[in-house]
């Protein structure tokens, strides 16, 4: 093989290697972009999770408060009902 043929073969190998390097570089850039997008989505989901946890804590506290108020109202109604029955019984006894 003479010099021009060897030079042509070397240039073809170089061109092939450059194409492979460019393709690998494009794949890497795509993978980096995907990773960046995934990291952004993860950050958004973590923020949402934190916000939802705070909202859930607030809802649970309100639920407990409402249950306590409900129990107090039920206790008072029971007392009022007993008082009304007592008054009615007294009125019936006097009649």
């Amino acid at each position: 093989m003479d010099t021009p043929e060897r030079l042509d073969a070397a240039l073809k190998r170089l061109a092939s290697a450059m194409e492979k390097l460019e393709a690998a570089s494009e794949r890497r850039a795509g993978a980096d972009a995907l990773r960046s997008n995934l990291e952004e989505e993860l950050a958004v989901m973590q923020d949402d999770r934190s916000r939802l946890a705070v909202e859930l804590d607030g809802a649970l506290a309100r639920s407990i408060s409402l249950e306590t108020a409900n129990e107090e109202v039920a206790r008072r109604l029971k007392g009022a009902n007993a008082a009304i029955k007592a008054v009615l019984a007294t009125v019936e006894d006097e009649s």
Side-chain angles (χ1 to χ4, degrees):
M1 195 188 261
D2 62 351
T3 303
E5 291 174 348
R6 288 189 345 214
L7 183 59
D8 283 343
L11 287 173
K12 286 180 184 178
R13 287 192 311 272
L14 178 61
S16 175
M18 292 295 289
E19 287 175 6
K20 290 178 183 178
L21 179 61
E22 186 176 323
S25 175
E26 288 174 4
R27 285 192 307 271
R28 176 62 188 257
D32 288 347
L34 178 61
R35 180 182 176 142
S36 177
N37 288 341
L38 290 175
E39 287 173 350
E40 287 176 23
E41 287 181 29
L42 179 60
V44 168
M45 288 191 305
Q46 287 173 334
D47 289 345
D48 285 346
R49 182 187 178 282
S50 295
R51 180 184 49 80
L52 290 171
V54 168
E55 288 178 13
L56 179 60
D57 288 345
L60 288 173
R62 186 166 193 276
S63 174
I64 290 169
S65 175
L66 289 172
E67 286 178 18
T68 302
N70 187 33
E71 289 169 359
E72 177 65 17
V73 168
R75 185 187 62 76
R76 288 183 181 188
L77 284 173
K78 188 175 179 181
N81 188 30
I84 291 170
K85 285 182 179 180
V87 169
L88 288 176
T90 302
V91 169
E92 284 180 6
D93 288 344
E94 290 177 3
S95 302

